[in-house]
Amino acid sequence: MLHWLKSLCIWILLYSLTMFIVPLQAAEIGRSAATNCDVHHGSCIQTLSNIQVTFEINPKPVKAMMELNFKITLKGKQPEASPYIDLGMPGMEMGPNRVSLQPMGKGTYQGTGIIVRCPSGKKIWIAKITLPDIGKVEFIFDVIY
Ligand SMILES: [Cu+2]
């Protein structure tokens, strides 16, 4: 009888621990996988084939449904043609939204675009930057609706 009670207690303990820890871990993973760039407080940097790619959006804080300036600065080898940005959302088909960039000199490229308000209410967006003939980098960030 005592043995039976003991194992029941252990099962309840294990069960409650699992119920507590699993959502906690899921929340943690969700948070860290959600964004890789805080566009509201500065610029973000990634490296691609020894090229340092700096990404910035203005004005800050970055809001949907208004004209935004996208700025990319490349340090290192420059691509054959101007880079461009495809805006989208993780796991969602949002339709084409490409920002073309104009060279401003010294490895800097700028262009304007609009981030729309997603009907789902989700605020995480991806800027997929293509450096022609070199590759792509993705900056993931949240916007204000
Ligand atoms: Cu969406």
Side-chain angles (χ1 to χ4, degrees):
M1 180 63 179
L2 196 66
H3 176 77
W4 181 83
L5 259 181
K6 207 190 263 176
S7 52
L8 182 72
C9 282
I10 288 169
W11 275 114
I12 290 171
L13 186 75
L14 279 175
Y15 181 74
S16 40
L17 267 177
T18 310
M19 294 312 279
F20 179 70
I21 287 169
V22 168
L24 209 70
Q25 279 178 335
E28 199 56 46
I29 289 162
R31 201 180 307 134
S32 56
T35 62
N36 65 9
C37 177
D38 178 4
V39 288
H40 307 298
H41 298 102
S43 57
C44 299
I45 295 175
Q46 282 189 47
T47 305
L48 174 71
S49 310
N50 291 323
I51 300 167
Q52 192 186 65
V53 183
T54 305
F55 172 68
E56 185 169 354
I57 308 176
N58 281 297
K60 303 176 200 302
V62 177
K63 291 177 182 164
M65 303 311 288
M66 63 174 286
E67 192 171 280
L68 298 169
N69 179 269
F70 293 82
K71 183 174 154 188
I72 286 166
T73 306
L74 305 176
K75 248 189 218 169
K77 188 187 163 218
Q78 299 297 309
E80 300 286 316
S82 289
Y84 53 86
I85 305 173
D86 287 305
L87 296 167
M89 294 182 77
M92 222 185 276
E93 185 46 67
M94 295 301 291
N97 187 352
R98 179 166 290 183
V99 179
S100 41
L101 304 170
Q102 304 302 317
M104 310 298 284
K106 293 184 176 173
T108 298
Y109 299 83
Q110 287 195 55
T112 53
I114 290 179
I115 289 172
V116 297
R117 188 192 301 263
C118 181
S120 79
K122 289 183 179 160
K123 295 171 182 169
I124 308 289
W125 283 76
I126 301 175
K128 188 193 281 180
I129 299 168
T130 303
L131 307 186
D133 298 320
I134 296 172
K136 295 171 200 288
V137 283
E138 285 188 355
F139 291 94
I140 308 167
F141 54 94
D142 67 306
V143 292
I144 294 167
Y145 285 169

